mmCIF file of all heavy atoms in Angstrom:
data_model
loop_
_atom_site.group_PDB
_atom_site.id
_atom_site.type_symbol
_atom_site.label_atom_id
_atom_site.label_comp_id
_atom_site.label_asym_id
_atom_site.label_seq_id
_atom_site.Cartn_x
_atom_site.Cartn_y
_atom_site.Cartn_z
ATOM 1 N N LEU A 581 -18.940 -7.862 2.099
ATOM 2 C CA LEU A 581 -17.781 -7.668 1.211
ATOM 3 C C LEU A 581 -16.618 -7.036 1.961
ATOM 4 O O LEU A 581 -15.679 -6.520 1.358
ATOM 5 C CB LEU A 581 -18.171 -6.790 0.022
ATOM 6 C CG LEU A 581 -19.226 -7.388 -0.920
ATOM 7 C CD1 LEU A 581 -19.667 -6.356 -1.954
ATOM 8 C CD2 LEU A 581 -18.674 -8.627 -1.608
ATOM 9 N N SER A 582 -16.683 -7.064 3.301
ATOM 10 C CA SER A 582 -15.661 -6.400 4.110
ATOM 11 C C SER A 582 -14.496 -7.344 4.418
ATOM 12 O O SER A 582 -14.710 -8.506 4.763
ATOM 13 C CB SER A 582 -16.314 -5.919 5.416
ATOM 14 O OG SER A 582 -15.321 -5.365 6.256
ATOM 15 N N TYR A 583 -13.284 -6.849 4.270
ATOM 16 C CA TYR A 583 -12.076 -7.644 4.540
ATOM 17 C C TYR A 583 -11.188 -6.886 5.514
ATOM 18 O O TYR A 583 -10.834 -5.734 5.256
ATOM 19 C CB TYR A 583 -11.333 -7.952 3.233
ATOM 20 C CG TYR A 583 -12.166 -8.864 2.371
ATOM 21 C CD1 TYR A 583 -13.175 -8.350 1.566
ATOM 22 C CD2 TYR A 583 -12.014 -10.241 2.446
ATOM 23 C CE1 TYR A 583 -14.003 -9.192 0.833
ATOM 24 C CE2 TYR A 583 -12.829 -11.085 1.721
ATOM 25 C CZ TYR A 583 -13.827 -10.557 0.913
ATOM 26 O OH TYR A 583 -14.648 -11.387 0.211
ATOM 27 N N SER A 584 -10.824 -7.536 6.616
ATOM 28 C CA SER A 584 -10.009 -6.867 7.627
ATOM 29 C C SER A 584 -8.524 -7.124 7.346
ATOM 30 O O SER A 584 -8.176 -7.958 6.514
ATOM 31 C CB SER A 584 -10.374 -7.374 9.030
ATOM 32 O OG SER A 584 -9.635 -8.556 9.302
ATOM 33 N N TYR A 585 -7.686 -6.422 8.067
ATOM 34 C CA TYR A 585 -6.229 -6.553 7.894
ATOM 35 C C TYR A 585 -5.625 -7.495 8.946
ATOM 36 O O TYR A 585 -4.410 -7.597 9.073
ATOM 37 C CB TYR A 585 -5.579 -5.170 7.955
ATOM 38 C CG TYR A 585 -6.133 -4.257 6.869
ATOM 39 C CD1 TYR A 585 -7.023 -3.225 7.178
ATOM 40 C CD2 TYR A 585 -5.810 -4.468 5.532
ATOM 41 C CE1 TYR A 585 -7.562 -2.428 6.179
ATOM 42 C CE2 TYR A 585 -6.351 -3.680 4.526
ATOM 43 C CZ TYR A 585 -7.226 -2.655 4.864
ATOM 44 O OH TYR A 585 -7.762 -1.881 3.867
ATOM 45 N N THR A 586 -6.506 -8.186 9.690
ATOM 46 C CA THR A 586 -6.053 -9.035 10.795
ATOM 47 C C THR A 586 -5.074 -10.116 10.337
ATOM 48 O O THR A 586 -4.061 -10.369 10.993
ATOM 49 C CB THR A 586 -7.275 -9.698 11.464
ATOM 50 O OG1 THR A 586 -8.243 -8.676 11.700
ATOM 51 C CG2 THR A 586 -6.898 -10.346 12.770
ATOM 52 N N ASN A 587 -5.391 -10.774 9.208
ATOM 53 C CA ASN A 587 -4.503 -11.839 8.732
ATOM 54 C C ASN A 587 -3.136 -11.299 8.320
ATOM 55 O O ASN A 587 -2.115 -11.949 8.544
ATOM 56 C CB ASN A 587 -5.130 -12.566 7.543
ATOM 57 C CG ASN A 587 -6.245 -13.491 7.987
ATOM 58 O OD1 ASN A 587 -6.107 -14.219 8.952
ATOM 59 N ND2 ASN A 587 -7.370 -13.431 7.289
ATOM 60 N N LEU A 588 -3.131 -10.128 7.688
ATOM 61 C CA LEU A 588 -1.845 -9.556 7.272
ATOM 62 C C LEU A 588 -0.976 -9.301 8.504
ATOM 63 O O LEU A 588 0.241 -9.502 8.467
ATOM 64 C CB LEU A 588 -2.059 -8.259 6.489
ATOM 65 C CG LEU A 588 -2.783 -8.387 5.137
ATOM 66 C CD1 LEU A 588 -2.900 -7.027 4.465
ATOM 67 C CD2 LEU A 588 -2.072 -9.367 4.217
ATOM 68 N N VAL A 589 -1.597 -8.869 9.591
ATOM 69 C CA VAL A 589 -0.862 -8.585 10.822
ATOM 70 C C VAL A 589 -0.460 -9.892 11.512
ATOM 71 O O VAL A 589 0.723 -10.110 11.809
ATOM 72 C CB VAL A 589 -1.734 -7.728 11.771
ATOM 73 C CG1 VAL A 589 -1.054 -7.572 13.138
ATOM 74 C CG2 VAL A 589 -2.014 -6.359 11.146
ATOM 75 N N ASN A 590 -1.424 -10.776 11.727
ATOM 76 C CA ASN A 590 -1.168 -11.974 12.552
ATOM 77 C C ASN A 590 -0.409 -13.067 11.810
ATOM 78 O O ASN A 590 0.451 -13.732 12.385
ATOM 79 C CB ASN A 590 -2.486 -12.541 13.077
ATOM 80 C CG ASN A 590 -3.145 -11.602 14.075
ATOM 81 O OD1 ASN A 590 -2.504 -10.677 14.583
ATOM 82 N ND2 ASN A 590 -4.418 -11.805 14.341
ATOM 83 N N LYS A 591 -0.745 -13.294 10.534
ATOM 84 C CA LYS A 591 -0.093 -14.395 9.811
ATOM 85 C C LYS A 591 1.221 -13.973 9.162
ATOM 86 O O LYS A 591 2.125 -14.783 8.983
ATOM 87 C CB LYS A 591 -1.027 -14.940 8.722
ATOM 88 C CG LYS A 591 -2.100 -15.873 9.249
ATOM 89 C CD LYS A 591 -3.137 -16.224 8.194
ATOM 90 C CE LYS A 591 -2.598 -17.135 7.116
ATOM 91 N NZ LYS A 591 -3.686 -17.527 6.164
ATOM 92 N N TYR A 592 1.309 -12.698 8.755
ATOM 93 C CA TYR A 592 2.486 -12.294 7.974
ATOM 94 C C TYR A 592 3.345 -11.235 8.659
ATOM 95 O O TYR A 592 4.397 -10.875 8.141
ATOM 96 C CB TYR A 592 2.033 -11.807 6.580
ATOM 97 C CG TYR A 592 1.283 -12.893 5.836
ATOM 98 C CD1 TYR A 592 -0.104 -12.899 5.776
ATOM 99 C CD2 TYR A 592 1.966 -13.958 5.248
ATOM 100 C CE1 TYR A 592 -0.795 -13.923 5.137
ATOM 101 C CE2 TYR A 592 1.288 -14.982 4.616
ATOM 102 C CZ TYR A 592 -0.092 -14.960 4.551
ATOM 103 O OH TYR A 592 -0.763 -15.981 3.931
ATOM 104 N N GLY A 593 2.877 -10.692 9.778
ATOM 105 C CA GLY A 593 3.698 -9.729 10.504
ATOM 106 C C GLY A 593 3.780 -8.359 9.856
ATOM 107 O O GLY A 593 4.780 -7.649 10.006
#
Side-chain angles (χ1 to χ4, degrees):
Chain A
L581 296 173
S582 176
Y583 293 82
S584 85
Y585 301 106
T586 312
N587 285 315
L588 295 181
V589 173
N590 293 345
K591 281 171 71 176
Y592 301 100

